[in-house]
Amino acid sequence: MKLYHYMDEYFGLQNLANQRIKASTFDRLNDPFELIGIETSDQDIRAALKEMKRRVASKFGILCFSKIWSNPVQWAHYADNHKGLCIELELADKDDARKVDYVSERLESKLIADPNFPQKLLLSKFKHWEYEQEYRLIRELINFDKDNGIFFQPFNSDIKLTKIIIGCQSNITRHSLMKILNEADRNVEIIYARAAFKSFKIVKHKNK
């Protein structure tokens, strides 16, 4: 399975040089409804979810991917207004990353009794995030590399770098990328992005 990960220029170039991507924890994601996407008018439920989120964040890390690289909003939000990069990664096990389910309403609190409740909560987001077409890979933090308190997933046979896409407003060049890439990654395809002529999509620039 091939999935995509957006990065700004500064950290993107650092991560490519170090052959890795950053893993997040659930308490540092940009959606305040992470792990509390159920109806929480009951005070005891709110307290239980808060404690559960604390425990999950202390033990598990998350890698966030998209099924596509053509959405201009994602480039704006996660690649510094199209000045950064998007990388294509091939996951050896297609079942490693799970597809996010987008919902229009908060889940019912009675779902707490469902044995599948934790997984459902981990993979549910508000419908307005649907444009991201997100996939998530969740692992225990001990399975990630740690550098200055930050967790990273190295490129390896399980998660392999296969393409680098340069944003349509980026000053990054193929030449500058080749200078920082590890020898093992220098055969990776590098392309430039541009705004499409007939749709609101980001597409491959065929003349660069």
Side-chain angles (χ1 to χ4, degrees):
M1 174 184 283
K2 290 184 177 179
L3 296 171
Y4 299 92
H5 184 79
Y6 298 84
M7 303 180 291
D8 67 18
E9 177 180 350
Y10 180 77
F11 290 108
L13 293 178
Q14 276 194 356
N15 289 339
L16 286 173
N18 289 301
Q19 295 185 288
R20 66 190 188 183
I21 57 172
K22 180 179 176 290
S24 297
T25 54
F26 279 91
D27 56 347
R28 294 187 177 183
L29 296 177
N30 60 0
D31 181 2
F33 291 98
E34 291 287 355
L35 292 181
I36 56 169
I38 68 168
E39 190 274 317
T40 58
S41 57
D42 185 285
Q43 185 175 353
D44 291 337
I45 291 177
R46 289 199 302 273
L49 286 175
K50 183 178 180 181
E51 174 59 19
M52 184 189 75
K53 185 170 183 175
R54 185 196 65 78
R55 286 189 281 106
V56 169
S58 68
K59 187 175 181 180
F60 293 95
I62 177 172
L63 298 172
C64 298
F65 306 105
S66 176
K67 184 67 176 174
I68 59 171
W69 65 270
S70 59
N71 190 301
V73 181
Q74 287 180 279
W75 279 96
H77 288 173
Y78 302 118
D80 191 21
N81 295 328
H82 299 256
K83 291 180 282 190
L85 302 155
C86 182
I87 58 174
E88 180 185 81
L89 298 163
E90 185 169 5
L91 278 62
D93 187 345
K94 65 181 179 63
D95 295 323
D96 267 357
R98 305 295 299 276
K99 187 178 181 180
V100 169
D101 182 36
Y102 298 97
V103 297
S104 56
E105 302 288 341
R106 300 278 284 269
L107 303 175
E108 295 182 8
S109 58
K110 66 182 182 182
L111 284 172
I112 289 179
D114 188 319
N116 295 319
F117 169 71
Q119 179 173 297
K120 189 170 184 64
L121 204 57
L122 287 167
L123 296 174
S124 294
K125 293 191 72 172
F126 182 39
K127 193 172 182 65
H128 285 200
W129 294 95
E130 195 169 19
Y131 72 93
E132 292 187 343
Q133 297 191 38
E134 185 180 350
Y135 280 71
R136 294 180 157 185
L137 195 159
I138 300 166
R139 291 177 174 167
E140 290 191 39
L141 290 172
I142 58 173
N143 293 319
F144 294 110
D145 293 346
K146 192 174 183 180
D147 184 4
N148 290 322
I150 301 174
F151 296 94
F152 294 93
Q153 168 64 49
F155 301 149
N156 53 33
S157 58
D158 293 328
I159 300 180
K160 183 180 179 182
L161 177 68
T162 51
K163 186 183 294 182
I164 302 171
I165 305 150
I166 300 171
C168 64
Q169 300 190 77
S170 176
N171 293 319
I172 300 169
T173 64
R174 282 194 184 91
H175 179 71
S176 63
L177 281 174
M178 292 298 292
K179 288 173 65 176
I180 62 101
L181 286 176
N182 187 280
E183 186 175 352
D185 295 326
R186 288 179 186 161
N187 291 325
V188 167
E189 182 182 8
I190 300 172
I191 67 173
Y192 291 84
R194 67 165 174 82
F197 299 141
K198 295 184 178 181
S199 68
F200 288 107
K201 288 186 177 181
I202 300 300
V203 297
K204 178 180 179 180
H205 198 312
K206 295 181 179 180
N207 295 325
K208 293 182 74 173

